[in-house]
Amino acid sequence: MPTTPFGPPHPDGGPRPGTRRRRTAAALLAGALAAATLVMLPATSSQAAPAPAAQSTAGPVEGGGDLGPNVHVFDPSTPDIQGTVDQIFKEQESAQFGEGRHALLFKPGTYDGLNVQIGFYTAISGLGLSPDDTHFNGDVTVDAGWFDGNATQNFWRSAENLSLSPVNGTNRWAVSQAAPFRRMHVRGGLNLAPDGYGWASGGYIADSRIDGEVGPYSQQQWYTRDSSVGGWTNGVWNMVFSGVQGAPGQGFPEPPYTTLETTPISREKPFLYLDGDEYKVFVPEKRTNARGVSWEGDQQGESLPLDQFYVVKPGATAATINAAVDQGLHLLFTPGVHHVDETIDIGRADTVVLGLGYATIVPDDGVTAVKVADVDGVRLAGLLIDAGAENSRTLVEIGEEGSSAGHADNPTTVQDVFIRIGGAGPGKATTSLVVNSNDTIIDHTWIWRADHGEGVGWETNRADYGVQVNGDDVLATGLFVEHFNKYDVVWAGERGRTIFYQNEKAYDAPDQAAIQNGDTQGYAAYKFEDSVDTHEGWGLGSYCNYNVDPAIRQEHGFQAPVKPGVKFHGLLTVSLGGMGHYDHVINQVGEPTQGSDTVPSTITEFPLP
C-alpha cells in the first residue's frame, strides 16, 4: 500500500478512512535505601510480585525504605544492561492489560550503544537533577511491530529526564495516549510515527529540548508544552503548542497548527533523583507565562529526601496509607497493582503523591480511589487509576463539593494521572474525575472508558461522565477524555482554560436511542453549563466512530453558551470513515461531517466574527 510521510497510509495521500479505528482487533535490580547504598537483587519476571502481608497501622509509619522488585536501577558499569531491558520489553511489548509494572532508572553517567525499547507499563527515567546528567549514546524507542505497524494502541509508557544522541540521528517515539515524553533532551531529531508511517493517534511532550526536527508524520493530533524544537515537519488534523521555542506559527485549520507563545501557568511534574547516594524527590516551582524548558540554568523548586515518603508497595492497606499522610509523610507508590478498600485521603497541603512505573490503584467495593482536600499545593502524579467491578460514584476528587478557597499562589496539580474503566477487567464509575478546588492544574491526563479488552460493553463498563469541573480558574493542558456513555467533559467553573483537548465519542452505542439527550441527538464531547460566563479553549477536537450503528447522528461535538467571555480557537469534529455523523461542530455552528473521506469540519474562532 502506498505511504506518505505526511499522513497515514492511503492511496490518495490523506488520512485513511477509519484511521483512529485502533480497537479491532541475568540482570540487576536495585532497591534504594534513603541515605544508604544500593542493595542489588536478581531480576524478576513481568508478573506482579506476590503481595506482602498487609501492613499494620499500629505505631508510626516509617518513611523511606527499598523501592521494591520492579524498580530496576542501572549505572554505566552494570553488566548486560541491554539484555535486561530487552527481557523486560519482551515481557511487556504486547501485555496491554497485564499486571507487569516496571520503572527503569539510570544513574547519572554516559551509556554507550543502548537501544531501550519501551513496552506497556514501563517508565524509563534518568536519576540526575538535569536530563543532561544521564546521557545515552543510543535510543529510547517505541515502535508498533507488535500491532502490525499500527501505533494507535501504544498506551501507558513514558520517558523522562534523559538526554539522547540517537544512533542514526533521529529517535523514534511512536505512541498514543498516556505516553508522556517529559524533561527529555534529544540531541538530534524525533520521529513520532511507527516504522512505515502507519496509523498513530496523538500524544504529549513537555519540558523537553529536541535539537533537530520533530516529525509527527501520521500522528493525527499532538500537544507540546514548554519545550524547544529545531523544527516541525507537518500536521494532519490538530497540532497544538504552548510555550514552545521553534514551534510553527499559528495556521489552523491549514496548516493545522494552534500556537500560543506561552503557557499561562505551569508546574512540572515531581521526579525522583539521586543526590550523591541519597534518593530525593524534586518538586518544581510554578511558572507563569512559561516558554522553553525549566531545567536550563537554576532550577527552582524543593528537594524532599526519601525518608519523608511512605514507600507504598502492593499489599499496603488504605488505612496505613492514610495514617502515613496524617503523620506528615508524602507518598511514593512503587510499580505494581495496589488494591484499596477505602479512599486514600490527602488532607494535608503540599503533599506529594508520586507513582513510579505506572503504579496502579484499584478501588474495591465501589469506593473513590483518591480524594484531595481543598488545600494548597498537592501534587498528584504518575498514577493509573483502574475502576473496580463495583460502581464507584467517583474515582478521583480534587476538593470537596462547594470548595471556595483560592489557591492561585500554590495550586494543586494533577499530572500524568490516567483513569481507565474496563479493559483490564470489569469496571464501572459514574464520574471519573471531579475537580472542585479552584486554580487546579490538570496537566496531561487520559481518561478512558475502554472500547476493547476484557469487561467491555455499553452497560458492562458503564461510565456516564469523564470529567466534571466545578472549580473556578482551572487550567487543563493536555486533556484526553474518551468514550463515555454521556458527556465526556462537563465544565461549570468560571474562568477555566483548556489548551488541547482530544476526544472520541463511545464507539459502542447500540443505536440512536441509547444516546438520545432529551430533544438533542447525542451528548456533547465537551459541554459548558449555561451559567458559565468566561472560558477560553485552544485546539479542541472530537471524533466519532459509531461502529455498531454507523447511522447514529451526533448534533454537535461541543456545547457552550454564546457569551462574549466564552471563546474557542481551533475546533474540529471528524467522522472516522463515515461511522456516524456530526451535524455541527459547536452548538448549531459548523458544517456537518459525513461520508467516508474522514475530513474534519473546523471552526477557527467561536463565537464567529
Side-chain angles (χ1 to χ4, degrees):
M1 182 177 292
T3 63
T4 167
F6 301 110
H10 185 265
D12 299 325
R16 181 173 177 167
T19 300
R20 283 276 308 212
R21 206 173 306 158
R22 60 165 90 107
R23 283 81 171 169
T24 51
L28 297 175
L29 303 175
L33 294 175
T37 56
L38 297 175
V39 178
M40 307 307 289
L41 303 171
T44 63
S45 75
S46 67
Q47 296 302 309
Q55 295 163 320
S56 172
T57 58
V61 180
E62 295 294 329
D66 71 90
L67 300 179
N70 294 324
V71 173
H72 311 258
V73 181
F74 306 93
D75 65 39
S77 66
T78 301
D80 195 23
I81 297 174
Q82 189 67 59
T84 300
V85 298
D86 285 351
Q87 179 60 36
I88 292 169
F89 177 68
K90 181 179 179 181
E91 295 166 357
Q92 298 302 118
E93 180 182 12
S94 58
Q96 183 171 176
F97 298 112
E99 292 191 344
R101 303 288 188 273
H102 295 274
L104 312 179
L105 306 182
F106 286 79
K107 297 170 72 172
T110 299
Y111 299 77
D112 292 324
L114 283 180
N115 179 18
V116 184
Q117 299 183 80
I118 304 297
F120 285 102
Y121 312 110
T122 304
I124 185 171
S125 304
L127 285 171
L129 190 57
S130 165
D132 288 329
D133 292 340
T134 307
H135 184 67
F136 285 11
N137 288 311
D139 298 77
V140 172
T141 301
V142 177
D143 206 342
W146 75 278
F147 202 46
D148 297 325
N150 180 345
T152 60
Q153 291 186 26
N154 281 349
F155 313 139
W156 304 306
R157 62 199 75 197
S158 66
E160 298 185 49
N161 204 33
L162 292 165
S163 65
L164 311 173
S165 292
V167 169
N168 69 356
T170 300
N171 190 76
R172 186 185 302 278
W173 186 255
V175 298
S176 285
Q177 290 75 14
F181 197 78
R182 285 186 183 269
R183 285 180 65 85
M184 295 290 288
H185 183 190
V186 181
R187 302 177 190 182
L190 186 64
N191 182 348
L192 302 178
D195 186 28
Y197 304 103
W199 299 343
S201 64
Y204 172 93
I205 294 170
D207 203 25
S208 294
R209 174 178 292 280
I210 294 89
D211 294 343
E213 278 195 330
V214 179
Y217 302 113
S218 53
Q219 288 283 0
Q220 292 150 336
Q221 68 278 312
W222 196 276
Y223 176 49
T224 307
R225 178 182 64 71
D226 298 356
S227 293
S228 174
V229 299
W232 194 273
T233 60
N234 72 289
V236 176
W237 291 338
N238 190 27
M239 304 280 126
V240 181
F241 310 85
S242 68
V244 178
Q245 297 166 336
Q250 174 69 33
F252 189 88
E254 186 59 44
Y257 301 140
T258 300
T259 303
L260 290 75
E261 284 294 305
T262 62
T263 304
I265 306 168
S266 58
R267 182 166 57 197
E268 300 306 329
K269 178 183 170 185
F271 61 93
L272 188 71
Y273 78 102
L274 273 173
D275 184 1
D277 289 330
E278 183 179 4
Y279 280 85
K280 295 182 177 179
V281 171
F282 189 77
V283 184
E285 291 284 354
K286 183 188 76 171
R287 297 201 292 169
T288 57
N289 297 319
R291 182 171 173 81
V293 300
S294 71
W295 43 266
E296 291 184 331
D298 292 334
Q299 297 189 70
Q300 301 298 309
E302 179 184 12
S303 288
L304 304 173
L306 191 63
D307 61 10
Q308 293 183 15
F309 285 78
Y310 173 48
V311 179
V312 186
K313 297 173 185 173
T317 66
T320 301
I321 295 168
N322 288 333
V325 175
D326 291 343
Q327 192 178 298
L329 292 172
H330 306 281
L331 301 176
L332 185 70
F333 282 82
T334 62
V337 179
H338 305 257
H339 284 262
V340 295
D341 59 0
E342 60 184 83
T343 298
I344 298 170
D345 283 309
I346 311 300
R348 194 184 72 251
D350 298 314
T351 301
V352 176
V353 182
L354 177 62
L356 300 179
Y358 285 82
T360 302
I361 300 174
V362 182
D364 296 327
D365 304 323
V367 303
T368 296
V370 180
K371 289 184 180 180
V372 177
D374 189 30
V375 296
D376 277 355
V378 173
R379 277 79 159 181
L380 193 65
L383 295 169
L384 173 59
I385 310 297
D386 219 346
E390 186 172 336
N391 185 73
S392 294
R393 185 181 65 86
T394 60
L395 292 172
V396 177
E397 294 183 25
I398 308 300
E400 302 89 356
E401 186 175 351
S403 293
S404 59
H407 307 288
D409 291 338
N410 187 13
T412 285
T413 52
V414 180
Q415 299 180 285
D416 297 350
V417 172
F418 309 120
I419 297 176
R420 178 172 66 192
I421 302 94
K428 290 186 178 183
T430 303
T431 305
S432 290
L433 172 64
V434 178
V435 179
N436 293 313
S437 286
N438 298 330
D439 305 295
T440 300
I441 299 172
I442 307 168
D443 178 42
H444 190 224
T445 184
W446 184 40
I447 301 175
W448 183 58
R449 175 183 166 267
D451 60 278
H452 64 280
E454 298 295 325
V456 171
W458 184 249
E459 296 295 343
T460 305
N461 61 330
R462 183 83 193 188
D464 284 349
Y465 309 105
V467 178
Q468 172 77 45
V469 178
N470 300 317
D472 294 338
D473 301 292
V474 172
L475 171 66
T477 52
L479 187 61
F480 299 71
V481 187
E482 296 189 303
H483 304 160
F484 286 84
N485 295 77
K486 293 184 178 179
Y487 293 113
D488 298 275
V489 173
V490 178
W491 204 295
E494 283 292 350
R495 298 178 301 280
R497 289 174 288 188
T498 298
I499 305 173
F500 185 88
Y501 174 66
Q502 183 266 318
N503 166 265
E504 284 181 340
K505 295 303 299 175
Y507 290 1
D508 57 339
D511 50 38
Q512 187 73 55
I515 61 164
Q516 190 67 24
N517 180 15
D519 294 333
T520 302
Q521 291 182 311
Y523 291 82
Y526 200 123
K527 177 192 176 182
F528 294 89
E529 298 288 8
D530 290 342
S531 60
V532 173
D533 291 322
T534 305
H535 188 96
E536 194 160 10
W538 296 263
L540 287 73
S542 177
Y543 321 137
C544 72
N545 181 36
Y546 289 116
N547 56 19
V548 175
D549 182 0
I552 288 176
R553 301 178 73 91
Q554 178 84 23
E555 182 166 318
H556 44 233
F558 302 89
Q559 180 181 343
V562 181
K563 299 179 181 179
V566 178
K567 302 175 183 178
F568 296 98
H569 318 276
L571 292 170
L572 67 92
T573 55
V574 181
S575 172
L576 301 180
M579 307 294 280
H581 180 115
Y582 288 98
D583 289 340
H584 306 285
V585 178
I586 181 169
N587 298 349
Q588 304 301 309
V589 177
E591 294 300 314
T593 60
Q594 55 190 328
S596 59
D597 290 336
T598 313
V599 175
S601 181
T602 62
I603 296 291
T604 303
E605 299 287 339
F606 179 86
L608 298 178

